[in-house]
Amino acid sequence: MSSNEQIKFRTEVYFIPSLGIIQSADSTQKLNLSEQKILSFLINNHRPVTKEELLKAGWPERVVSEASLFQVIRALRVKLHEHRKGDVIETLPRVGYQITQFERLPYPLKKVPSEKQKRFRKKVFGFSLLATATVLAASAVIYWNIDDFTPLEETRFLTENVTWDSNKLTFIADNRDDIEDIKHKLSTAYQMHTAKFNPPIIQNIKGYAYKGQGLYSIAWCKVDNKQACLPNTDFAYTIEEQDWKRFSDFLVSTTRTVRESPIIQTDLAREPTAQVHMNYMDGSGIQSKIVHYYISNNNPDSFSYSYMSFITEAKTDFHHALSVRAATISMVENHSPFLATATLKPDMFHWAYQPSDVIIEDKSTALKTEAKMRDDFRHKRIVYSYLLYQQPFLDLVFYPATGIYWINNSTKYNKLFNSTVSEEK
């Protein structure tokens, strides 16, 4: 596909491959990497394409389920302004998909942007400028002296491993009472679940549970016969103590085994190095938090991280910018019961959250945990995080102020953790 062309579809939408964007008369949308690859593959082949071909094209060197492909096709239909299914992407039953009607045109076309486009670009440029400043923060903006930082004393955590039928769980806390508390609560919910479903939906699970600082944090995935997490089965929830019943009721009745891949639109050309998806159940109107990581290498044991966080409305699935921050993460000698220990030295934090009528702030766990991180950054506290589990493209990290969360990496291994962990396996 030529670098100076654009593809026009009959919905009056243009795909510009060189920029990875879709444009219409009043909007510009950035496609994620898988969306770009799949749309380009359909255009270039101009024939019926099987699902297997698209899975290889969209996720080379990765094994993902058809659910990931369906999510991308669904997202592309929306972005291509399909009013009826098949206006652009035709579904071929028992075969796959094809795109047959489009026009190749030179790019750029000399068009005068509309007022709505100008407003959109101005808004996005401001956010992109902020994000770009964040990516460069460690080297270009922050001049703190190392003596200004306050290292926190490392907490000594206890762990306990248990097996419930086909499920293997690890409990984490800094005291025995909290381990017994979270173990009892999860055991009760699991027993109620198995009484409701025969066979149970919750089976073949690798799980981790933490209690501390007024929070419960639970993360799990469904595993294969080699105890490796299956694609898109990673879940992570952080719950305050008063919201445990909401979460317990969810576990008892849950039939969810596969999650959808969250898609955030920004004007950054650079794909995230990694993505985190955290869930909440607190009645605040915030369903989840999505974090995009951008990582650059300092040396084998130290990396500069930039983060862009977004919160998602429960009712509309609409995303709001929450914060932008930068930090240096370094490997240190591991005295924990976990795979590896890293320290996080804050560089900058920008609170991007704006109040909304649909969000009840004092009920929001997402806002409270983010505020804890903001305070760590403001007071220049060097804090600890831990690696609990690792496999290709997936890390499980424990950050006590936030909880336990999965990091979905764009490369086979997170370079920081891979420098010390993969050789030990």
Side-chain angles (χ1 to χ4, degrees):
M1 195 174 290
S2 172
S3 62
N4 60 348
E5 73 173 3
Q6 58 183 338
I7 310 300
K8 179 183 178 182
F9 302 102
R10 60 181 181 177
T11 53
E12 297 298 318
V13 172
Y14 296 81
F15 172 46
I16 304 168
S18 61
L19 300 179
I21 63 174
I22 284 179
Q23 283 187 333
S24 64
D26 58 1
S27 69
T28 299
Q29 300 184 77
K30 182 76 171 73
L31 300 184
N32 66 34
L33 198 56
S34 294
E35 291 169 346
Q36 294 177 46
K37 290 178 178 179
I38 287 173
L39 184 56
S40 297
F41 193 84
L42 286 166
I43 292 169
N44 290 334
N45 282 278
H46 198 61
R47 61 168 173 80
V49 176
T50 67
K51 296 174 184 176
E52 290 74 18
E53 289 177 295
L54 289 176
L55 287 169
K56 291 179 182 178
W59 296 272
E61 300 181 2
R62 292 189 63 177
V63 177
V64 301
S65 67
E66 287 189 1
S68 298
L69 175 60
F70 297 153
Q71 172 74 3
V72 168
I73 295 295
R74 183 163 59 247
L76 286 173
R77 292 192 192 281
V78 173
K79 294 170 185 177
L80 292 168
H81 291 190
E82 283 197 358
H83 299 295
R84 293 176 301 174
K85 188 175 179 181
D87 282 349
V88 177
I89 303 175
E90 299 177 55
T91 300
L92 306 175
R94 296 183 296 278
V95 178
Y97 304 92
Q98 70 175 2
I99 297 178
T100 57
Q101 298 188 42
F102 60 86
E103 183 180 0
R104 295 181 185 270
L105 300 171
Y107 178 81
L109 294 178
K110 296 187 180 297
K111 296 195 292 185
V112 177
S114 67
E115 286 303 313
K116 188 171 182 180
Q117 282 178 305
K118 291 177 181 177
R119 291 194 299 270
F120 176 85
R121 290 172 186 171
K122 183 176 181 181
K123 179 180 178 182
V124 170
F125 174 76
F127 190 71
S128 299
L129 186 62
L130 173 62
T132 302
T134 305
V135 173
L136 299 175
S139 59
V141 177
I142 304 302
Y143 300 101
W144 290 343
N145 187 294
I146 186 64
D147 294 333
D148 294 336
F149 289 93
T150 303
L152 293 183
E153 183 178 351
E154 186 176 2
T155 302
R156 300 299 181 182
F157 289 101
L158 305 176
T159 63
E160 181 177 340
N161 298 316
V162 301
T163 299
W164 295 338
D165 301 327
S166 62
N167 307 305
K168 296 183 178 181
L169 296 96
T170 299
F171 295 95
I172 303 168
D174 62 8
N175 63 81
R176 175 54 54 184
D177 287 345
D178 282 350
I179 283 185
E180 292 301 324
D181 177 66
I182 184 62
K183 186 168 66 171
H184 171 72
K185 282 183 167 63
L186 280 180
S187 175
T188 300
Y190 177 64
Q191 291 172 22
M192 293 173 67
H193 173 84
T194 56
K196 184 171 184 177
F197 296 98
N198 187 18
I201 308 298
I202 300 175
Q203 56 181 319
N204 300 318
I205 294 295
K206 181 197 300 288
Y208 296 79
Y210 163 68
K211 182 184 178 184
Q213 302 183 30
L215 294 175
Y216 295 104
S217 183
I218 321 293
W220 70 89
C221 71
K222 199 173 184 67
V223 296
D224 59 19
N225 55 11
K226 296 181 179 180
Q227 292 298 301
C229 294
L230 295 169
N232 294 327
T233 66
D234 53 289
F235 293 88
Y237 283 83
T238 298
I239 313 102
E240 293 185 84
E241 290 189 50
Q242 67 268 20
D243 297 312
W244 178 262
K245 188 176 186 308
R246 290 175 185 266
F247 180 68
S248 177
D249 291 345
F250 162 74
L251 283 182
V252 170
S253 302
T254 187
T255 58
R256 284 184 71 188
T257 56
V258 178
R259 65 161 178 82
E260 293 185 351
S261 298
I263 298 173
I264 297 289
Q265 296 300 328
T266 73
D267 205 40
L268 289 177
R270 182 182 172 189
E271 287 292 314
T273 312
Q275 187 178 91
V276 169
H277 187 206
M278 303 179 71
N279 300 284
Y280 305 94
M281 288 189 173
D282 51 27
S284 69
I286 296 176
Q287 172 178 281
S288 61
K289 178 171 72 176
I290 298 164
V291 186
H292 285 184
Y293 282 48
Y294 298 88
I295 306 172
S296 58
N297 183 222
N298 296 332
N299 58 62
D301 293 321
S302 178
F303 284 75
S304 291
Y305 275 57
S306 296
Y307 312 73
M308 299 173 63
S309 296
F310 306 84
I311 47 177
T312 313
E313 289 181 9
K315 291 184 178 180
T316 65
D317 209 30
F318 184 78
H319 301 290
H320 300 267
L322 177 58
S323 70
V324 182
R325 57 193 191 274
T328 300
I329 294 188
S330 303
M331 299 301 300
V332 296
E333 187 175 355
N334 186 24
H335 300 292
S336 75
F338 312 118
L339 294 180
T341 300
T343 57
L344 184 151
K345 185 183 79 173
D347 289 329
M348 77 84 91
F349 188 104
H350 174 76
W351 186 259
Y353 169 75
Q354 296 294 323
S356 167
D357 292 340
V358 300
I359 294 173
I360 304 173
E361 295 183 10
D362 60 1
K363 287 188 176 183
S364 173
T365 306
L367 295 180
K368 291 175 185 176
T369 54
E370 196 79 9
K372 290 180 182 177
M373 284 187 281
R374 178 187 60 190
D375 291 342
D376 286 338
F377 274 68
R378 284 180 174 174
H379 293 91
K380 304 176 188 177
R381 299 188 186 111
I382 298 177
V383 298
Y384 292 90
S385 64
Y386 305 92
L387 178 67
L388 302 185
Y389 173 77
Q390 183 184 68
Q391 70 179 51
F393 301 102
L394 189 66
D395 295 327
L396 184 63
V397 171
F398 170 42
Y399 179 22
T402 301
I404 304 172
Y405 51 89
W406 300 96
I407 299 181
N408 289 267
N409 300 298
S410 61
T411 56
K412 190 171 184 180
Y413 286 108
N414 179 309
K415 293 180 181 179
L416 176 65
F417 288 131
N418 191 44
S419 65
T420 58
V421 174
S422 60
E423 293 120 356
E424 300 173 2
K425 291 189 173 184

